[in-house]
Amino acid sequence: EDKVVQSPLSLVVHEGDTVTLNCSYEVTNFRSLLWYKQEKKAPTFLFMLTSSGIEKKSGRLSSILDKKELFSILNITATQTGDSAVYLCAVSSGTYKYIFGTGTRLKVLA
Amino acid sequence: DVKVTQSSRYLVKRTGEKVFLECVQDMDHENMFWYRQDPGLGLRLIYFSYDVKMKEKGDIPEGYSVSREKKERFSLILESASTNQTSMYLCASSLVAGYVYEQYFGPGTRLTVT
């Protein structure tokens, strides 16, 4: 059965800290891995990764995929209170099939 | 910017009622999806549609049906609501097949069935 596991389940840090969120997967017919940020409403897209070893960056956020070891990490540097959210990892195994992890809840304290 | 809207943010219904959740996207996306999100279970796919009048069951279709009469609109129907359908319902859309595209999500409808 396809599955996506995220860790840790939750995390509390202080502003300015760096955090690393993990996503491991066992999925047949891997197509891509996606990261989303969910505050109190719609998940918003952060990154899509298809190739191993190529880092994607957007401001203080970055992500990388290891297709050999079947995992991805999402790094957030110099965290701010606005980074507080649930971060979702999803793996696509087909055009319509996205398998989601249960998310990592990040709380950043001022 | 892609915009996906859902008809209600919060909804309270009684057991046995018929419930309609509507989703509209404004970016001419071919694919539309309905998920439910429950604590500890993540997002689970209920149904998806890849074209007008076309639909496919997801992982948990029991107790639900869908309708897609127009490209921009995808409706989720609970024929006879039950308390175990209390959940957050998220609609999403994406561009078409042949490649994987990111999904764009609506704000969600939190449905409570009493």
Side-chain angles (χ1 to χ4, degrees):
Chain A
E1 186 184 330
D2 294 339
K3 64 179 179 180
V4 174
V5 178
Q6 293 185 244
S7 64
L9 290 180
S10 65
L11 195 53
V12 180
V13 300
H14 288 91
E15 271 193 320
D17 288 350
T18 293
V19 298
T20 298
L21 310 183
N22 303 292
C23 175
S24 64
Y25 62 90
E26 291 177 27
V27 173
T28 53
N29 195 27
F30 173 92
R31 294 271 197 104
S32 66
L33 186 143
L34 303 97
W35 284 97
Y36 291 87
K37 177 183 181 183
Q38 185 177 23
E39 297 171 88
K40 291 188 177 176
K41 40 188 180 165
T44 53
F45 172 74
L46 295 174
F47 298 111
M48 181 163 68
L49 304 150
T50 53
S51 301
S52 231
I54 298 176
E55 187 182 47
K56 293 226 172 172
K57 288 196 75 164
S58 176
R60 297 176 293 103
L61 278 68
S62 63
S63 183
I64 196 160
L65 174 66
D66 186 328
K67 288 169 77 172
K68 184 179 175 187
E69 299 297 328
L70 308 182
F71 78 91
S72 173
I73 59 172
L74 175 68
N75 277 323
I76 309 175
T77 59
T79 51
Q80 302 170 356
T81 54
D83 295 325
S84 295
V86 174
Y87 289 84
L88 298 172
C89 173
V91 173
S92 171
S93 66
T95 308
Y96 313 117
K97 189 161 178 70
Y98 299 78
I99 303 108
F100 283 82
T102 55
T104 293
R105 184 175 297 277
L106 173 66
K107 187 170 178 66
V108 181
L109 303 175
Chain B
D1 274 356
V2 176
K3 194 166 181 184
V4 180
T5 57
Q6 293 183 228
S7 49
S8 307
R9 290 299 306 276
Y10 301 93
L11 210 51
V12 179
K13 295 291 181 180
R14 292 193 182 277
T15 301
E17 279 193 84
K18 192 168 186 175
V19 182
F20 293 87
L21 302 182
E22 293 225 308
C23 174
V24 178
Q25 50 95 2
D26 67 358
M27 280 300 290
D28 205 35
H29 284 173
E30 285 81 3
N31 297 338
M32 296 188 76
F33 306 79
W34 275 107
Y35 292 91
R36 63 178 282 177
Q37 185 176 29
D38 300 289
L41 295 176
L43 273 75
R44 293 179 292 165
L45 181 64
I46 305 171
Y47 269 96
F48 67 88
S49 169
Y50 51 91
D51 202 349
V52 174
K53 297 192 186 294
M54 306 306 288
K55 60 188 179 186
E56 293 285 344
K57 292 179 180 179
D59 299 317
I60 51 164
E62 298 79 17
Y64 303 95
S65 62
V66 290
S67 171
R68 193 165 180 201
E69 297 297 319
K70 293 185 177 182
K71 190 174 185 180
E72 67 272 18
R73 191 178 297 268
F74 191 34
S75 301
L76 179 70
I77 303 149
L78 287 66
E79 295 289 342
S80 177
S82 64
T83 54
N84 64 11
Q85 292 177 311
T86 291
S87 186
M88 170 69 87
Y89 290 87
L90 289 166
C91 174
S93 71
S94 72
L95 283 170
V96 79
Y99 189 69
V100 178
Y101 290 93
E102 65 270 25
Q103 294 175 304
Y104 292 86
F105 285 87
T109 295
R110 187 166 292 283
L111 172 67
T112 302
V113 183
T114 62

